[in-house]
């Protein structure tokens, strides 16, 4: 028995932050951002809007699209590194907002690979035979940990995400393989140093801007291309496929140049690679479910298509997942 995706949805906040807006805030240019990253704009939350609000919008759409009652959901997995609070979990807030009275759930922290970790976890619950309807949502509110005086990083990220319902299938379709990795030796290259138990918030830590995400962009770039390409090629080979058998590749959207380099290493032609980074920037755990939901809406996936997902992020974490797409009613 495989787990299959039976509904997808996505949501971004209303407020748009364009490259031209950023030109007024820091020493940057639309030309630099577009040519180095492919990003033209990103969405950011308004006042009093947080990760659970975006997740709730997605959760409601998922229920509506699959015509489920909130009580049908057994597990809620929220993949995020920007929860509303350390406690309670974002999953608890979403459960309450949608009234999923039979569910349990938890937050899962895997940075940009979070949604793949979440799909893998949900799929194993389904395969155990104990669960039949699981909601997996990937959302990040990166603006909440962005230093809008640091041009090295603040131009890259945005807020938003998407989600999916997982259910069992008796067909040979659905999630058929995954390769997931973690290597903490890369931890310092992409890190928010303050706010956790290592460096709790103090006046000094706030003044030192320790509660913002920091990265060594060049190092992350190098590892991202190699990491995503290696696991993508491995998963294709071990399933006795070639690049040509892949109908659609939805990679994590961190930088268009990273996507292009990864696709080139895997031998994917441009028409097979899903790219929406221009509109959203990097939404961390949000990029893959946002891309998947848009791909479904744009009817880019047909029954039986081989879909490949790949991600890379802080940790380092990375992975790939192979899905034989099953069209749902
Ligand atoms: O989800 C995973 C998370 N992150 C990533 O995957 C990010 C991976 N890294 C990257 O995407 C790229 O390394 C960046 C987009 C961050 C940077 O691109 P780059 O081609 O590696 O640029 P660079 O760091 O070599 O910077 C080139 C120049 C520097 O100036 P100098 O030293 O050559 O005078 C930077 O100071 O561009 C400058 N620069 C900027 N200029 C205008 C850096 N950021 C900006 C900016 N606007 N926003």
């Amino acid at each position: 028995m495989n787990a299959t995706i039976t509904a997808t949805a996505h949501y971004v906040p209303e407020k748009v932050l364009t490259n031209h807006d950023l030109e007024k805030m820091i020493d940057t240019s639309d030309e630099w951002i577009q040519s180095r990253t492919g990003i033209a704009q990103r969405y950011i939350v308004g006042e009093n809007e947080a990760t659970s609000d975006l997740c709730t919008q997605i959760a409601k759409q998922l229920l509506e699209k699959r015509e489920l009652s909130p009580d049908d959901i057994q597990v809620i997995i929220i993949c995020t590194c920007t929860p509303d609070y350390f406690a309670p979990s974002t999953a608890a807030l979403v459960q309450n907002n949608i009234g999923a009275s039979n569910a349990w759930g938890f937050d899962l922290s895997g940075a940009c690979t979070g949604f793949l970790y979440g799909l893998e976890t949900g799929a194993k619950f389904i395969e155990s035979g104990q669960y039949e309807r699981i909601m997996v949502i990937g959302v990040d509110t990166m603006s909440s940990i962005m230093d809008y005086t640091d041009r090295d990083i603040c131009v890259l990220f945005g807020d938003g995400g998407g989600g999916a319902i997982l259910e069992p299938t008796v067909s040979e379709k659905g999630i058929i393989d995954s390769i997931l990795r973690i290597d903490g030796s890369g931890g310092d290259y992409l890190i928010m140093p303050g706010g956790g138990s290592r460096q709790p918030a103090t006046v000094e830590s706030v003044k030192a801007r320790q509660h913002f995400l920091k990265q060594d962009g060049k190092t992350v770039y190098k590892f991202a291309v190699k990491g995503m390409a290696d696991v993508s090629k491995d998963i294709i080979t071990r399933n006795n496929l070639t690049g040509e058998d892949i109908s659609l590749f939805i990679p994590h959207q961190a930088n268009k140049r990273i996507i292009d380099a990864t696709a080139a290493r895997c031998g994917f032609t441009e028409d097979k690679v899903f790219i929406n980074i221009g509109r959203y920037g990097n939404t961390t755990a949000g990029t893959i479910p946002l891309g998947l939901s848009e791909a479904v809406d744009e009817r880019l996936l047909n029954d039986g298509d081989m879909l490949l997902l790949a991600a890379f992020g802080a940790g380092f974490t990375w992975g790939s997942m192979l899905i034989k797409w099953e069209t749902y009613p």
Side-chain angles (χ1 to χ4, degrees), residues 28 32 36 112 151-152 215 217-218 252 254-255 257 282:
T28 191
W32 190 97
R36 299 290 177 121
C112 302
R151 72 173 185 174
D152 286 345
Q215 79 166 344
K218 273 196 189 314
H252 171 51
N255 184 326
R257 287 156 56 216
N282 181 351

Side-chain angles (χ1 to χ4, degrees), residues 107-140:
D107 289 6
L108 188 159
S109 167
C112 302
T113 316
F115 190 71
L116 294 191
Y117 282 12
L119 279 184
E120 173 80 350
T121 307
K124 296 305 165 200
F125 286 160
I126 297 278
E127 288 167 24
S128 77
Q130 201 177 335
Y131 297 99
E132 294 190 328
R133 281 189 200 95
I134 296 185
M135 193 177 256
V136 185
I137 295 178
V139 164
D140 269 300

Side-chain angles (χ1 to χ4, degrees), residues 13-19 21 40-45 279:
E14 273 176 32
K15 194 170 162 191
V16 181
L17 182 68
T18 66
N19 291 350
D21 295 328
Q41 62 168 49
R42 70 287 294 140
Y43 293 83
I44 59 166
V45 292
R279 277 173 288 141

Side-chain angles (χ1 to χ4, degrees), residues 96-300:
N96 187 45
N97 289 346
I98 63 171
S101 51
N102 294 320
W104 65 280
F106 56 93
D107 289 6
L108 188 159
S109 167
C112 302
T113 316
F115 190 71
L116 294 191
Y117 282 12
L119 279 184
E120 173 80 350
T121 307
K124 296 305 165 200
F125 286 160
I126 297 278
E127 288 167 24
S128 77
Q130 201 177 335
Y131 297 99
E132 294 190 328
R133 281 189 200 95
I134 296 185
M135 193 177 256
V136 185
I137 295 178
V139 164
D140 269 300
T141 305
M142 296 307 288
S143 63
S144 67
I145 55 168
M146 257 326 108
D147 183 350
Y148 285 102
T149 67
D150 181 357
R151 72 173 185 174
D152 286 345
I153 193 163
C154 75
V155 302
L156 305 174
F157 290 90
D159 302 339
I165 301 280
L166 288 178
E167 293 181 59
T169 177
V170 287
S171 76
E172 86 295 2
K173 295 171 198 161
I175 296 175
I176 56 177
D177 199 9
S178 65
I179 299 177
L180 298 170
R181 298 276 184 260
I182 192 163
D183 179 358
S185 67
D188 287 343
Y189 296 117
L190 185 49
I191 186 168
M192 188 175 106
S197 58
R198 177 72 55 194
Q199 200 180 145
T202 60
V203 172
E204 289 72 32
S205 74
V206 171
K207 275 191 189 149
R209 311 186 85 75
Q210 296 297 291
H211 302 270
F212 294 120
L213 190 67
K214 298 172 196 306
Q215 79 166 344
D216 171 347
K218 273 196 189 314
T219 305
V220 177
Y221 187 108
K222 214 171 58 193
F223 278 97
V225 174
K226 182 171 169 16
M228 285 204 291
D230 283 355
V231 288
S232 299
K233 285 189 288 187
D234 285 353
I235 206 167
I236 289 171
T237 312
R238 83 177 187 189
N239 283 277
N240 302 317
L241 302 171
T242 69
E244 285 187 8
D245 296 313
I246 303 299
S247 307
L248 190 66
F249 177 52
I250 305 182
H252 171 51
Q253 313 277 314
N255 184 326
K256 182 165 182 302
R257 287 156 56 216
I258 294 178
I259 297 171
D260 291 345
T262 305
R265 285 190 187 203
C266 296
F268 297 139
T269 49
E270 239 176 67
D271 55 311
K272 288 189 175 178
V273 183
F274 188 89
I275 300 181
N276 63 6
I277 189 172
R279 277 173 288 141
Y280 302 114
N282 181 351
T283 56
T284 304
T287 65
I288 291 190
L290 179 45
L292 177 61
S293 173
E294 285 198 334
V296 170
D297 290 354
E298 291 168 25
R299 301 187 187 285
L300 299 180

